[in-house]
């Protein structure tokens, strides 16, 4: 892990070209260097604010309890502490504002679990360092109870266990340093219902998952920079997501209507982005570099033939029947440079609503919702045959630049793949999706297409199943007919 020492400089010459022309060379993305240069808070208490003294243990929680809703609190410079009880925390009232002076730190001392909790809505936390709290796994330190309408801005949330922060409806997360937290920088999850209208903008999200939870719970899918669960409407833009152990950004289970734009995603151990069992997204103008080296190499050494990718779409696609700002997954005008492989579109034939192979147990698709409907005999016929599956469909990949120099990535095999595939369906016994049905569908029938892209380097392509390894001519030819009007220079990448 290199922490904040990476020095990206954007990339490409910026500026797109007409949709019918050759792809642009890639976005020029500014970098959110928030951890190195945080914005300073007010050096004096704002008019009407309650001053909080770092010399008095528990002063912040006590004054919050005694003051009415809508109060502004100004934390003096220095280290502020809560009472030593593990469950001692600040419980804001509706509309409260917490502003830190330059050098103001709220320190959990590895004793307190949570910094800010409770159900108070429309709370602001700004210009404050929050560190060394010990939230349990899957829980968070700031906005622990996922209250709505919070703004967390210009703050350092670092070196905590669990997630640095949770999320509620209408939450705004701007210009923060989310660094070196034990599980996630942010866990966007709400225990009751779906989470709506989330903005994540201009943050540096770096070095999270220090406790390496995938090693502790193999296959848990519970780590990375940010995890999104059942979020309906999210804008994720202008962030620098780097050097996280595991995945950079991971949207998992019934997310919908995402715009992931103008981010720098680099040097994450795993994929830059996983979009899993989710719907409708626009992913554009991102700079994506040197991701997936650790995880990709690990699986290659095991002899695993699966094309582990830097942008991984698993049972996810466009669905016009679900309201969103788009009815497809559009991946466009991104620069992907020297990652371990490129884009994989995957659908597990055995993973569907009510299947024992569905790792999101208890969840059904947004089209069916009630899990017990997806059973024999009804699931064998339409509409349930279609609607009980999370489909990788309507994925439109265009005007991107893919650069691969194997000497930079330091690989000889399996780091050069672009793929659309599924497994041979076998399970459970009553599944209507056995055999090659899903592999045939994702490859030829579900409107997944690459076009107008620019490839530099020795790229290979995988279609239908892991054994279907193709060169560029085969990929463009029948029956796959992918990457119309795209170009490939096998020597240009090095």
């Amino acid at each position: 892990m290199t922490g904040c020492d990476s020095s990206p400089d954007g990339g490409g010459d910026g500026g797109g070209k007409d949709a019918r022309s050759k792809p642009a060379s890639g976005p020029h993305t500014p970098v959110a260097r928030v951890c190195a240069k945080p914005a300073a808070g007010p050096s004096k208490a704002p008019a009407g604010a309650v001053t909080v003294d770092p010399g008095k243990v528990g002063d912040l929680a006590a004054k919050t309890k005694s003051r009415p809703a809508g109060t502004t609190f100004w934390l003096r410079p220095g280290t502020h502490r809560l009472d030593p009880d593990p469950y001692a925390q600040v419980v804001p009232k509706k509309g409260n504002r917490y502003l830190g002076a330059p050098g103001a730190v709220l320190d959990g001392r590895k004793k307190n679990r949570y910094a800010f909790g409770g159900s108070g809505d429309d709370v602001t936390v700004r210009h404050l360092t929050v560190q060394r709290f010990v939230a349990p796994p899957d829980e968070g330190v700031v906005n622990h109870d996922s209250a709505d309408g919070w703004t967390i801005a210009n703050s350092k949330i670092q070196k905590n266990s669990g997630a640095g922060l949770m999320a509620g409806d209408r939450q705004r997360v701007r210009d923060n340093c989310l660094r070196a937290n034990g599980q996630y920088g942010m866990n966007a999850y709400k225990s009751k219902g779906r989470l709506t209208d989330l903005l994540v903008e201009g943050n540096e999200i770096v070095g999270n998952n220090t406790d390496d939870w995938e090693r502790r719970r193999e296959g848990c899918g519970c780590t990375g920079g940010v995890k999104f669960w059942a979020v309906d409407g999210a804008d994720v833009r202008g962030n620098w997501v780097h050097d996280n152990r595991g995945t950079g950004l991971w949207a998992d289970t019934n997310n919908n209507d995402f715009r992931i734009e103008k981010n720098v995603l680099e040097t994450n151990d795993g994929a830059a982005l996983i979009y899993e069992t989710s719907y409708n997204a626009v992913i554009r103008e991102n700079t994506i570099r040197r991701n997936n080296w650790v995880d990709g190499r690990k699986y290659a050494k095991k002899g695993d033939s699966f094309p582990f990718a830097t942008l991984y779409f698993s049972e996810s696609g466009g669905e016009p029947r679900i309201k969103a700002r788009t009815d497809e997954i559009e991946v466009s005008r991104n620069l992907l440079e020297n990652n371990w492989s490129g884009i994989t579109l995957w659908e597990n034939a055995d993973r569907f609503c009510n299947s024992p192979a569905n790792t999101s147990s208890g969840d059904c698709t947004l089209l069916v919702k009630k899990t017990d409907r997806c059973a024999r005999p009804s699931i064998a016929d339409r509409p349930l045959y279609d609607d009980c599956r999370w489909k990788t469909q309507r994925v439109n990949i265009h005007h991107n630049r893919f650069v691969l120099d194997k000497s930079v990535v330091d690989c000889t095999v399996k780091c050069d793949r672009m793929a659309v595939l599924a497994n041979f369906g076998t399970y459970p016994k009553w599944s209507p999706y056995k055999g090659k049905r899903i592999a045939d569908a994702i490859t030829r029938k579900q409107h997944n297409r690459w076009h107008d892209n620019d490839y530099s380097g020795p790229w290979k392509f995988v279609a239908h199943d892991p054994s279907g390894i193709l060169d560029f001519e085969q990929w463009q030819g029948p029956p796959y007919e992918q990457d119309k009007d795209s170009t490939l220079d096998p020597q240009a990448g090095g």
Side-chain angles (χ1 to χ4, degrees):
M1 308 287 289
T2 59
C4 291
D5 293 332
S6 293
S7 299
D9 58 359
D13 61 5
K17 297 185 178 180
D18 185 88
R20 295 164 293 181
S21 66
K22 189 175 179 179
S25 60
H28 181 77
T29 311
V31 177
R33 300 180 185 276
V34 182
C35 294
K37 297 179 180 179
S43 58
K44 296 181 180 180
V50 174
T51 297
V52 182
D53 188 344
K56 298 179 181 179
V57 173
D59 193 39
L60 179 60
K63 286 180 175 175
T64 294
K65 186 175 181 180
S66 66
R67 298 306 197 275
T71 299
T72 295
F73 299 87
W74 178 71
L75 285 72
R76 290 184 184 274
T79 300
H80 298 253
R81 300 174 178 87
L82 303 175
D83 290 334
D85 185 297
Y87 294 96
Q89 58 190 283
V90 182
V91 182
K93 296 169 184 173
K94 180 178 175 63
N96 280 5
R97 302 175 72 233
Y98 298 87
L99 307 179
V105 176
L106 181 60
D107 193 328
R109 297 177 288 172
K110 297 292 183 182
K111 295 180 179 180
N112 307 115
R113 291 191 171 196
Y114 317 119
F116 295 92
S119 59
D121 292 343
D122 304 321
V123 170
T124 296
V125 177
R126 193 184 292 271
H127 301 297
L128 186 62
T129 295
V130 180
Q131 65 184 29
R132 300 204 305 161
F133 287 81
V134 286
D138 303 323
E139 297 185 35
V141 169
V142 176
N143 197 10
H144 168 261
D145 298 294
S146 299
D148 296 337
W150 282 42
T151 295
I152 300 102
N154 309 112
S155 295
K156 285 186 178 181
I157 302 173
Q158 63 182 11
K159 302 178 183 178
N160 302 288
S161 299
L165 61 142
M166 303 297 285
D169 293 349
R170 300 179 286 106
Q171 184 153 302
R172 301 294 179 256
V173 183
R174 282 194 172 106
D175 303 318
N176 301 286
C177 172
L178 308 181
R179 175 169 61 184
N181 295 290
Q183 189 177 10
Y184 307 111
M186 181 173 71
N187 186 13
Y189 169 78
K190 199 165 188 176
S191 60
K192 295 182 180 179
R194 294 172 61 71
L195 197 162
T196 62
D197 188 16
L198 177 63
L199 174 65
V200 183
E201 181 176 32
N203 304 281
E204 183 173 351
I205 303 165
V206 52
N208 295 289
N209 187 28
T210 58
D211 292 335
D212 197 6
W213 278 99
E214 294 289 346
R215 178 181 55 81
R216 295 188 183 193
R217 299 179 182 172
E218 186 174 357
C220 72
C222 62
T223 57
V226 180
K227 194 73 182 281
F228 304 90
W229 308 84
V231 176
D232 191 2
D235 289 323
V236 183
R237 60 179 180 245
N239 302 285
W240 184 17
V241 184
H242 67 104
D243 294 286
N244 294 286
R245 177 178 283 168
T247 302
L249 302 174
W250 192 338
D252 186 356
T253 310
N254 286 340
N255 296 279
N256 174 52
D257 194 14
F258 271 53
R259 287 192 174 182
I260 302 172
E261 303 173 313
K262 298 183 179 180
N263 302 283
V264 176
L265 310 174
E266 64 178 345
T267 53
N268 297 290
D269 285 0
L273 169 66
I274 297 177
Y275 207 71
E276 180 176 2
T277 54
S278 293
Y279 303 88
N280 300 325
V282 173
I283 300 156
R284 64 188 174 198
E285 298 181 19
N286 300 285
T287 297
I288 303 168
R289 295 186 294 209
R290 302 189 297 278
N291 295 282
N292 205 30
W293 288 14
V294 174
D295 289 359
R297 186 170 286 110
K298 177 178 69 176
Y299 287 108
K301 285 182 177 179
K302 291 180 180 179
D304 197 317
S305 62
F306 188 82
F308 291 95
T310 287
L311 297 185
Y312 180 37
F313 298 91
S314 178
E315 296 87 31
S316 292
E319 176 49 73
R321 291 174 290 173
I322 297 173
K323 184 179 179 180
R325 291 167 288 181
T326 181
D327 61 3
E328 64 180 3
I329 291 181
E330 181 184 20
V331 184
S332 67
R333 302 190 184 281
N334 302 286
L335 170 64
L336 285 85
E337 183 175 32
N338 289 326
N339 301 286
W340 191 281
S341 288
I343 297 175
T344 288
L345 308 186
W346 161 254
E347 194 169 326
N348 183 344
D350 300 330
R351 184 182 187 184
F352 53 93
C353 177
N354 206 30
S355 168
N358 175 25
T359 54
S360 300
S361 57
D363 287 295
C364 201
T365 69
L366 293 181
L367 296 171
V368 178
K369 299 182 181 180
K370 292 185 178 180
T371 303
D372 57 4
R373 292 186 61 202
C374 295
R376 287 282 191 177
S378 300
I379 194 174
D381 299 317
R382 288 182 169 86
L384 291 181
Y385 178 86
D386 293 318
D387 294 349
C388 289
R389 288 168 47 212
W390 289 274
K391 289 184 181 180
T392 303
Q393 65 177 6
R394 298 173 62 84
V395 182
N396 183 9
I397 302 167
H398 66 93
H399 291 88
N400 302 284
R401 187 181 183 205
F402 301 99
V403 177
L404 176 63
D405 184 339
K406 285 190 172 183
S407 68
V408 173
V409 182
D410 188 24
C411 71
T412 56
V413 295
K414 299 179 181 176
C415 66
D416 52 4
R417 307 298 167 88
M418 200 75 57
V420 52
L421 75 166
N423 59 324
F424 192 87
T426 62
Y427 179 78
K429 289 183 178 180
W430 52 270
S431 169
Y433 311 117
K434 289 183 177 179
K436 299 189 296 181
R437 292 181 179 185
I438 303 306
D440 290 344
I442 189 174
T443 308
R444 304 180 190 177
K445 301 175 183 178
Q446 291 180 183
H447 307 288
N448 298 311
R449 63 193 186 110
W450 281 253
H451 63 94
D452 294 282
N453 297 298
D454 180 20
Y455 296 89
S456 298
W459 288 95
K460 295 185 177 66
F461 303 84
V462 182
H464 193 269
D465 60 79
S467 67
I469 301 173
L470 313 172
D471 61 26
F472 192 51
E473 184 177 353
Q474 292 169 319
W475 174 249
Q476 288 187 306
Y480 307 111
E481 297 182 339
Q482 292 290 0
D483 265 316
K484 181 181 179 182
D485 296 324
S486 297
T487 61
L488 182 144
D489 184 347
Q491 306 302 321

